[in-house]
Amino acid sequence: MDTLLLSRRHFVGSVRAVGLFAAMGGLISACSAAAPKRVPIMVHKDPNCGCCTAWADRMESTGDFTVTLINSEDMAAVKARLRVPLELASCHTTEAAGYVIEGHVPAADISRLLREKPSDIIGLAVPGMPAGSPGMETPDGRRDAYEVIAFTTGGRQSVFARHG
């Protein structure tokens, strides 16, 4: 009788352990599925530019992007290769999932572009270096109003987002 009781206890304990491990496995899978995958982005920048590095740090800190910095001595060649219109040029040029991101574009706008996946857009740009844009924060907190411009394969430009 004791052997039978011990066997039952062992059996019930084993079933509970298997159930616990199965539940833990399901929880781990659910957590893995819920955690979005970071998008790798390549930031081409002048080796002496600090605001480019600051922008890259902002993108990395969102948890949405994994940033690779590439120091380029000839940024004009990078912009020409990636078809950035001259009037939209800024200090750094980024490649993200087949799109071009020029300058201090906010992470939320990049995420929106990658979510919507418009087929006619080459990329997004914030021309110049507006104060208060990501990587261009000022000690006094000043923020310029600025627009994020979408540029297309046909040469068209349109406002993608407004800030400030």
Side-chain angles (χ1 to χ4, degrees):
M1 184 81 156
D2 286 339
T3 326
L4 184 60
L5 189 55
L6 184 58
S7 295
R8 282 185 186 160
R9 283 186 190 149
H10 180 73
F11 175 76
V12 169
S14 297
V15 168
R16 285 184 183 151
V18 168
L20 178 61
F21 286 126
M24 286 173 50
L27 183 59
I28 290 169
S29 294
C31 289
S32 297
K37 188 175 180 184
R38 289 176 168 242
V39 175
I41 62 174
M42 293 186 335
V43 180
H44 302 273
K45 66 179 227 35
D46 182 281
N48 301 309
C49 186
C51 69
C52 300
T53 303
W55 180 83
D57 290 344
R58 301 301 178 281
M59 296 305 107
E60 186 87 39
S61 72
T62 66
D64 295 335
F65 306 101
T66 300
V67 177
T68 301
L69 289 173
I70 301 169
N71 288 322
S72 280
E73 296 292 336
D74 189 357
M75 286 301 298
V78 170
K79 292 172 191 317
R81 177 176 60 83
L82 295 173
R83 301 181 292 166
V84 175
L86 286 175
E87 67 275 14
L88 298 181
S90 185
C91 54
H92 57 272
T93 305
T94 301
E95 296 178 76
Y99 292 100
V100 178
I101 307 301
E102 179 68 12
H104 295 267
V105 177
D109 295 333
I110 300 169
S111 293
R112 177 181 152 208
L113 174 73
L114 299 179
R115 195 173 48 253
E116 293 177 1
K117 296 182 175 123
S119 60
D120 63 333
I121 290 180
I122 294 172
L124 301 178
V126 171
M129 300 163 70
S133 61
M136 291 298 299
E137 293 85 357
T138 63
D140 65 0
R142 184 173 60 92
R143 298 179 61 84
D144 294 339
Y146 64 95
E147 296 177 332
V148 176
I149 307 298
F151 54 101
T152 69
T153 53
R156 288 179 293 115
Q157 297 176 12
S158 60
V159 175
F160 188 81
R162 288 187 169 85
H163 297 275

